[in-house]
Amino acid sequence: MQRNVVLITMSFLIDSLFGRLCYYFNKWQTNQAEEEEEEEEVTADHIVSRGGRPRVSSADGVCKCHACYGGPDCSCQSGPECIIDLDHGDPTMYEAYWLVNDASSTTVIPGWQRMSYFAAAAAAPAAHTSSSSRVEQQEQAVAVWFMEHELDVQIRALHAVVGNAITEGRHIVVGTGSTQLYQAALYALSSPEQSKPTSVISAAPYYSSYPVVTDYLRSALFRWAGDATTFKLQQQSSDPNAAEEEEQQQYIELVTSPNNPDGRIQHAVVNGSGPVIHDLAYYWPHYTPITAPADHDLMLFTLSKCTGHAGTRIGWAIVKDAAVAKKMVKFVELNTIGVSQDSQIRATQILKAVIQGCNNYGHQGNRLQPQEADQDSANSNANAAAADPADQMTISQHIQNQNLFHYGHSIMSYRWNRLRAAVGSSSSSSTFSLLDFSPDQCTFFGKKTTPTPAFAWLQCNKEVDCEAFLKARGIISRSGRHFGVGPEFVRLSMLERSHSFELVVQRLASCSSPA
């Protein structure tokens, strides 16, 4: 009996001790996990600030280093043999902004949601609405069966806040990037009844993807016909006896404004009876002054150049004619059976975050009004600029205040100043030349701003092949030959991460320096 009591007592003590050990061990594990999580957060910030970014999954390493950087924390910069690729307009400069503002832009989609081909449509018209209004609303709702209604709402709200496009009474068609919408527009504007393909033209220098995308499938509906100015001259100099035949020659003109590659504001050249597609991917206040809302029959926009989310692959068209919009919808339906709903939901949340940032600053449903002071007076301009709180903010403050367009404009202004200082004076005796831009009144910022294009259109004054000249110095560019002009021109992206841009500036400066 006594022995049993001793055994029971010992068992109780052992269990108690073991429980105590488990408690302290679990507590130690929890503290250790919290410390590791804190270390990971610090490491992530450290890595991003150096030359890389945290991996989404750390299974293959803690970080992914950017070009020209290496080492465990991406802090080791490569030597002059490192290649910097500025051929593509990859808008990675916006990573810094969204890294800080991730909470407002993050989207979580449960596995059971958005499984249907069909997107979430607008609510049905109220019963008290007139029959004609209900029919009109229903036609508007079914026009784009694969488009999330909330994305349509946010697109219209964004354009209303920025003031760069008319959306009232227009149809919004979503696409997998603006490239798909460009193809859809060609399909919608071409007639299957015509005897020969419609000529597709654009004033040189034109966007380099236009010729390739237009002729990729060798469509019988349309074909690339080159420079719009040359096309117009050919029409004007044609044989008068063949006027009737020339009048029957169909064309579609493409107008990219601001232009890719040179950043200039463009207008239609031919001004004939042919339809015009306006590609307005860069008509945002961080690239050019918003002078008036664009009001054209067919306008293309893309999320990639507005917010930097190129990988989301979302673009939209603003279309005046319902018949054209329906044909574009049909093309997207046949081409990809709609557009990713996951991407649309992400784009919707991103646009909400941008709009909220604008509203926080004072762009509530409308643009900031232009300064009433005399714009021609230097003193008045100086006072107006000093009165604008955004002019007194640093780039990091713009990020913290969720001002995407203010942030973008500040970054682009800084980069263009750095580039011009590196290249030097744009004279025939200098190594390089850049276009000059004049300031204009921006209705969004409420003051005069100078264009800061997404690409630099660089001319080599002493080299025949500018692309080869820069490649030999570790800079990959896109030759002017792809844009319908000579090889003495190249296009350089201004949207890369900061470290790549700074390295390019250093190398261009060394090329411009006298031997």
Side-chain angles (χ1 to χ4, degrees), residues 383-406:
N383 292 334
D388 188 348
D391 287 334
Q392 309 304 315
M393 292 183 184
T394 63
I395 291 174
S396 61
Q397 286 174 320
H398 286 315
I399 296 178
Q400 296 292 342
N401 291 333
Q402 299 182 328
N403 296 329
L404 175 68
F405 297 120
H406 295 80

Side-chain angles (χ1 to χ4, degrees), residues 86 261-264 412-438 450-462 466 470 477-478 488-494 501 504-505 508-509 512:
L86 299 184
D262 60 17
R264 292 181 293 188
M412 295 304 293
S413 296
Y414 165 81
R415 291 189 173 192
W416 271 96
N417 289 336
R418 290 274 291 135
L419 180 64
R420 291 190 185 281
V423 169
S425 61
S426 296
S427 62
S428 58
S429 60
S430 59
T431 305
F432 303 112
S433 293
L434 287 167
L435 292 176
D436 290 323
F437 298 98
S438 300
T450 301
T452 51
F455 298 100
W457 188 233
L458 192 72
Q459 180 178 6
C460 286
N461 295 323
K462 301 178 181 179
C466 197
L470 293 180
S477 60
R478 188 171 298 186
E488 69 273 19
F489 291 95
V490 294
R491 190 195 73 173
L492 299 174
S493 172
M494 297 287 285
F501 175 78
V504 168
V505 166
L508 291 177
S512 302

Side-chain angles (χ1 to χ4, degrees), residues 5 19 93 96 101 163 190 230-231 242 272 282 288 290 304 306 314 316 381 390-391 419 443 499 507:
V5 171
M93 79 168 200
N101 292 291
S190 300
T230 303
F231 180 87
Y282 303 95
T288 191
I290 304 302
S304 63
C306 175
I314 288 292
W316 62 91
N381 277 337
D391 287 334
L419 180 64
T443 58
H499 71 276
R507 295 182 185 184

